[in-house]
Amino acid sequence: MCDTCGCNITPGNKHLVEAGGKLAHSADGKAAVDVLHGLLSENDRQAAHNRDHLDKHGVLAVNLMSSPGAGKTALLEATIAALKDELRIAVIEGDLETENDAERIRAHGVPAIQITTGSACHLDAHMVHDALHHLDLSQIDLLFIENVGNLVCPASFDLGHHRNVVLLSTTEGDDKPAKYPVMFRAADLLLLTKSDLLAVLDDFVPARAEQHLRRLANAAPVLQLSARKGAGLQDWLDWLRAEIAARREARQKFRAAPKLSGVLK
Amino acid sequence: MHELSVCQALLAQVENVARDNNAQRVDRVILRIGPLAGIESRLLQDAFPIACAGTVAAGAELVIEELPLVVRCKNCGAETAAAPNRLICGVCGDWHTQLVSGDELLLASVELTKS
Ligand SMILES: Nc1nc2c(ncn2[C@@H]2O[C@H](COP(=O)(O)OP(=O)(O)OP(=O)(O)O)[C@@H](O)[C@H]2O)c(=O)[nH]1
Ligand SMILES: [Mg+2]
Ligand SMILES: [Zn+2]
Ligand SMILES: [Zn+2]
């Protein structure tokens, strides 16, 4: 993607995107102005700014997306309980209607910022920016953003996070990736949640969910877990640890070469 | 229903173009959208007049041009057409493909009447 205007133009699609007629300036004062600008470029610009904030402090930001009730908050509670003594965690909560999820997180002794403004169907980079300014990023290793429960809208908005984790609960059916390709294509990790219910939901086949994901040309790992029973949690925690380690390593390299900082930004 | 948010972002850009060109009125707005942009064209069409009411773009026509979905195979190199939930190679069937076109969400051009 073109960083400056979000226009998504690459050498591959240039000829397609730029095709089409330029309307000639006609005599009666009408004019056609070519723009070719990404519609969400303002959001993308803000997201890049958010990422700068996060990177400056070496914070890994993970965006959790799923349909309503797939188990995002339950996963966060289990994750915090397991990692609280190992990592400094904070949460931005996108439950726009109630404080319930934020209160569940705070009960675990972790800061949770509730986003209360905006439309009820997705978070955008400006909302996350406001929330970031309520957090002391120098005291955080891992920031979770619990997006609004919705498999459509959140996928279109970059928040400035580093990784997308999409949850698919076993009660939803294993063909969700085929029905919501935009969302599942964006996943860096797919979590099949509520795996404790697999025994009774015999029509949910994890391998089929993975197959649907591959058809979206997505090579992301697929993990099964149960936040309730704790099964499969270790693989998820290890994924988080590996992501944090990779981020720290990149940051050290960045610091070791301060003269390049102007180039690397 | 994030189409209204997208529409507001669109309107902000259209208003900038109108201002930069001393436009009296915006007649047409042309978008190019890929099937994987995550936007329902119909919902955008519904939201557009609402977002534009009372602005320089009030009454403007919204034209949405659909861009094709094309993937390039990392295995055999072929470029083939694809469907949003089947981004596999049309020649060898491999799923290791890269999107060439199909996720764009672009304001292509604005037609306006100058004052
Ligand atoms: N059986 C079972 N139930 C679970 C599990 N995880 C969550 N649940 C239940 O699923 C329901 C929704 O869980 P939440 O964690 O609130 O889901 P959410 O995705 O945060 O929901 P929203 O924020 O409303 O979109 C609750 O009743 C949970 O107890 C699990 O691993 N197993
Ligand atoms: Mg929740
Ligand atoms: Zn929406
Ligand atoms: Zn191929």
Side-chain angles (χ1 to χ4, degrees):
Chain A
M1 164 169 327
C2 156
D3 288 337
T4 47
C5 79
C7 62
N8 260 16
I9 298 174
T10 63
N13 69 3
K14 200 170 190 295
H15 63 291
L16 297 167
V17 165
E18 291 181 348
K22 280 183 191 155
L23 189 134
H25 293 226
S26 56
D28 55 355
K30 289 193 194 281
V33 182
D34 286 329
V35 185
L36 277 189
H37 214 263
L39 284 190
L40 293 176
S41 56
E42 181 52 30
N43 184 77
D44 293 345
R45 196 195 51 74
Q46 180 67 65
H49 173 82
N50 293 354
R51 209 170 279 118
D52 281 350
H53 269 307
L54 295 162
D55 288 344
K56 203 174 290 164
H57 296 284
V59 179
L60 173 72
V62 175
N63 180 24
L64 295 180
M65 298 187 285
S66 76
S67 53
K72 298 179 293 300
T73 311
L75 175 70
L76 285 178
E77 292 179 282
T79 305
I80 291 163
L83 293 180
K84 201 158 58 171
D85 298 328
E86 183 181 332
L87 294 168
R88 297 169 301 173
I89 300 174
V91 178
I92 294 177
E93 271 299 339
D95 173 355
L96 300 172
E97 304 297 337
T98 72
E99 281 267 340
N100 295 354
D101 287 359
E103 275 158 16
R104 278 164 68 186
I105 300 299
R106 287 183 199 124
H108 291 265
V110 155
I113 305 300
Q114 173 80 41
I115 292 179
T116 51
T117 53
S119 76
C121 63
H122 63 269
L123 299 183
D124 68 30
H126 294 91
M127 299 179 201
V128 169
H129 182 253
D130 290 345
L132 285 180
H133 280 278
H134 289 97
L135 287 168
D136 181 357
L137 294 181
S138 69
Q139 300 301 313
I140 297 170
D141 302 308
L142 175 57
L143 174 68
F144 287 108
I145 304 170
E146 180 178 339
N147 218 309
V148 181
N150 178 337
L151 283 178
V152 180
C153 311
S156 294
F157 296 86
D158 186 3
L159 306 177
H161 56 281
H162 303 98
R163 288 288 178 263
N164 282 323
V165 173
V166 180
L167 289 72
L168 170 57
S169 65
T170 50
T171 55
E172 293 174 72
D174 53 30
D175 60 348
K176 279 286 181 297
K179 290 180 174 167
Y180 298 92
V182 179
M183 171 62 71
F184 285 90
R185 204 172 77 86
D188 297 304
L189 172 67
L190 176 60
L191 293 179
L192 304 179
T193 61
K194 308 190 190 181
S195 63
D196 53 294
L197 299 177
L198 275 173
V200 282
L201 296 163
D202 55 358
D203 58 339
F204 188 102
V205 182
R208 231 159 33 204
E210 178 162 349
Q211 198 176 35
H212 284 299
L213 185 73
R214 301 297 172 238
R215 283 188 189 142
L216 305 178
N218 189 336
V222 180
L223 302 177
Q224 284 176 46
L225 59 79
S226 165
R228 167 121 4 131
K229 305 281 185 211
L233 217 54
Q234 277 313 319
D235 288 344
W236 153 244
L237 299 177
D238 286 343
W239 182 87
L240 284 171
R241 290 185 183 110
E243 288 292 331
I244 286 175
R247 192 134 295 282
R248 286 196 178 140
E249 198 176 317
R251 189 163 178 248
Q252 257 151 22
K253 274 191 197 140
F254 172 85
R255 286 191 154 174
K259 284 187 192 122
L260 285 175
S261 62
V263 181
L264 295 172
K265 209 178 115 200
Chain B
M1 246 301 276
H2 56 301
E3 279 75 8
L4 193 57
S5 324
V6 171
C7 232
Q8 280 155 355
L10 163 64
L11 185 67
Q13 290 190 17
V14 169
E15 285 184 314
N16 282 339
V17 172
R19 194 175 324 109
D20 292 349
N21 290 278
N22 293 317
Q24 187 190 344
R25 189 179 72 221
V26 173
D27 302 305
R28 280 172 109 198
V29 173
I30 300 171
L31 306 184
R32 295 207 181 107
I33 299 185
L36 281 173
I39 291 290
E40 280 291 340
S41 294
R42 196 182 51 77
L43 295 179
L44 204 55
Q45 287 287 9
D46 290 347
F48 186 71
I50 301 167
C52 292
T55 74
V56 66
E61 180 193 1
L62 181 65
V63 177
I64 299 177
E65 299 175 356
E66 279 256 330
L67 288 166
L69 195 49
V70 179
V71 296
R72 183 184 300 116
C73 181
K74 293 180 188 168
N75 178 40
C76 77
E79 270 190 25
T80 50
N85 59 11
R86 249 185 113 75
L87 301 173
I88 61 178
C89 173
V91 172
C92 76
D94 200 313
W95 61 263
H96 294 91
T97 65
Q98 203 177 356
L99 198 68
V100 174
S101 154
D103 62 350
E104 304 82 356
L105 181 55
L106 294 167
L107 171 57
S109 63
V110 179
E111 294 176 15
L112 38 83
T113 302
K114 296 205 178 201
S115 39

